[in-house]
Amino acid sequence: MLILGIESSCDETGIALYDTERGLLAYALHSQIEMHSEYGGVVPELASRDHIRRALPLIQKVLNDAKLALSDIDGIAYTQGPGLSGALLVGTCIAESLAFTLNVPTIGVHHLEGHLLAPLLEENPPQFPFVALLVSGGHTQLMKVTGVGEYELLGDTLDDAAGEAFDKTAKLLGLAYPGGPAVSKLAIQGSKGRFKLPRPMLNSGDLNFSFSGLKTAVLTLANQNESDLQTKADIAYEFQEAVTEILTTKCMSALRQTGLDNLIVSGGVGANKRLREQLNFATKRKLCHVHYPRLEFCTDNGAMIAFAGAMRLKALEGSQPSHSFTVRPRWDLAELQKPQ
Ligand code: KG4
Ligand code: ZN
């Protein structure tokens, strides 16, 4: 089954072709980061307009790269939510109208399920069940994953997401959007031991997180010190240490509590080098395994949507395509069920 995947929930137009027999055949992405950077964040209306411009040429590109035609497509998966409603509507309308003309089924994919399953696109994927750490701009969650659509929430952030904390810290330090890569780049020049930030909820005994206090502590540090580059680098260093230590400790607790030995990490913050270093070290010590998507599939992309859609469309094979649709800008992952 050849699935076309379309991601347009925020500031990236991601398109991919995934074949249930042959794997990932082609993928392409247009990032709007440059366009939004002058505003310091995503401007929803500009995002929607840009998705309109990019989606069809990118679909043509992946078809050319895979030497396939529109008529080879057996199903279309698109991000139905959560995300920006205008941006979601662009991908949804394109997916549904193409599918209508091709007479193939569609599947509306939950964006976070896409992130969650992205590590399974890599070689030697883990078998279910496993623990998943989902760390993106909007979410910081630990889950027990028993199968597609079988997600048990083990822990969640009580306030800001880890990616959001990176983004806000970047803003406080006068760095560019998006903050995660900018903070971690600056942290390389930072020195250990000059500053000490708190590790909120590190020993809370549960698997929940809290990052808003850390942001306030960064603000206090920034106000109390000179704003020279070395000081900013030292703050960035310590901030990254605090976040990655908290995430690593909670992941290890989740493995211990569930008795599982496989961890997967997904979402934008999963691209963070220091986090990967810490998780690699901690899991190795406990004879556990950690799996990541390749760096470019940590952040938003079409491959994860094509893959998650393929998993669900396989279960629906043979049913009559229906092309009524709606987007779900707010959509709780806990509402998902096993494909029937
Ligand atoms: O998964 P994603 O692309 O979008 C959401 O679904 O939210 O994640 C974006 C988030 C942003 O907050 C960004 O700052 C963060 O991931 N991020 C990083 C890194 N790369 C992206 N955070 C820390 N280190 C990175 N290298
Ligand atoms: Zn995302």
Side-chain angles (χ1 to χ4, degrees):
M1 222 182 166
L2 179 71
I3 308 300
L4 172 71
I6 302 177
E7 154 64 30
S8 73
S9 65
C10 189
D11 57 350
E12 254 115 24
T13 319
I15 307 288
L17 287 168
Y18 178 83
D19 186 282
T20 48
E21 247 91 84
R22 294 187 292 158
L24 187 62
L25 301 182
Y27 58 95
L29 183 95
H30 177 79
S31 170
Q32 304 175 354
I33 283 180
E34 215 181 303
M35 182 179 79
H36 296 294
S37 63
E38 77 177 276
Y39 304 96
V42 178
V43 184
E45 179 61 25
L46 294 183
S48 315
R49 293 184 202 178
D50 202 59
H51 288 306
I52 294 173
R53 275 194 292 272
R54 309 291 174 180
L56 289 176
L58 287 179
I59 291 173
Q60 195 56 57
K61 177 176 168 27
V62 293
L63 286 169
N64 292 346
D65 289 351
K67 299 190 172 49
L68 291 166
L70 269 179
S71 55
D72 293 315
I73 292 170
D74 300 307
I76 303 183
Y78 59 90
T79 306
Q80 192 177 13
L84 303 170
S85 52
L88 289 167
L89 271 170
V90 176
T92 303
C93 290
I94 290 173
E96 292 294 351
S97 29
L98 263 181
F100 180 71
T101 56
L102 298 171
N103 194 29
V104 297
T106 52
I107 185 89
V109 172
H110 194 295
H111 181 78
L112 296 179
E113 180 168 70
H115 276 303
L116 197 67
L117 299 177
L120 305 187
L121 277 164
E122 303 305 324
E123 270 180 34
N124 303 318
Q127 300 291 314
F128 297 111
F130 47 73
V131 170
L133 171 69
L134 185 62
V135 263
S136 66
H139 292 82
T140 306
Q141 295 183 330
L142 272 163
M143 262 165 292
K144 179 178 171 183
V145 180
T146 313
V148 173
E150 296 178 82
Y151 312 128
E152 182 192 337
L153 188 65
L154 303 171
D156 204 347
T157 179
L158 305 182
D159 40 58
D160 292 355
E164 196 177 350
F166 267 99
D167 294 335
K168 287 178 176 169
T169 294
K171 232 178 194 165
L172 286 174
L173 297 177
L175 304 175
Y177 150 89
V183 169
S184 61
K185 195 168 161 213
L186 185 62
I188 297 170
Q189 299 166 45
S191 40
K192 188 179 174 178
R194 177 168 168 206
F195 296 122
K196 187 75 190 161
L197 285 167
R199 269 68 171 155
M201 297 190 65
L202 188 67
N203 301 308
S204 59
D206 57 22
L207 298 172
N208 292 327
F209 306 87
S210 165
F211 293 106
S212 74
L214 198 50
K215 174 193 63 193
T216 313
V218 167
L219 178 65
T220 309
L221 267 189
N223 286 339
Q224 284 170 348
N225 290 278
E226 294 293 313
S227 61
D228 57 294
L229 190 65
Q230 189 56 50
T231 299
K232 287 183 177 180
D234 294 344
I235 295 176
Y237 174 91
E238 175 58 10
F239 168 79
Q240 182 172 252
E241 287 303 301
V243 174
T244 55
E245 186 185 332
I246 296 164
L247 293 174
T248 304
T249 304
K250 299 271 174 171
C251 283
M252 297 316 292
S253 303
L255 288 171
R256 202 170 47 246
Q257 280 184 28
T258 54
L260 298 174
D261 56 8
N262 270 310
L263 170 72
I264 66 150
V265 180
S266 52
V269 185
N272 186 275
K273 256 197 179 148
R274 184 67 184 128
L275 177 64
R276 289 186 176 211
E277 256 171 42
Q278 296 217 27
L279 285 173
N280 291 345
F281 181 76
T283 47
K284 206 168 164 198
R285 258 187 59 202
K286 294 285 174 195
L287 304 177
C288 295
H289 306 278
V290 55
H291 305 260
Y292 311 95
R294 66 195 81 170
L295 284 180
E296 60 192 323
F297 292 168
C298 281
T299 41
D300 294 349
N301 65 86
M304 67 182 196
I305 301 304
F307 180 74
M311 296 299 105
R312 286 184 172 272
L313 276 173
K314 254 196 324 199
L316 294 175
E317 221 170 345
S319 56
Q320 203 49 34
S322 120
H323 295 291
S324 69
F325 64 88
T326 173
V327 293
R328 305 183 66 173
R330 289 176 175 274
W331 191 5
D332 193 339
L333 190 64
E335 290 170 35
L336 292 190
Q337 293 181 348
K338 268 173 80 166
Q340 314 276 340

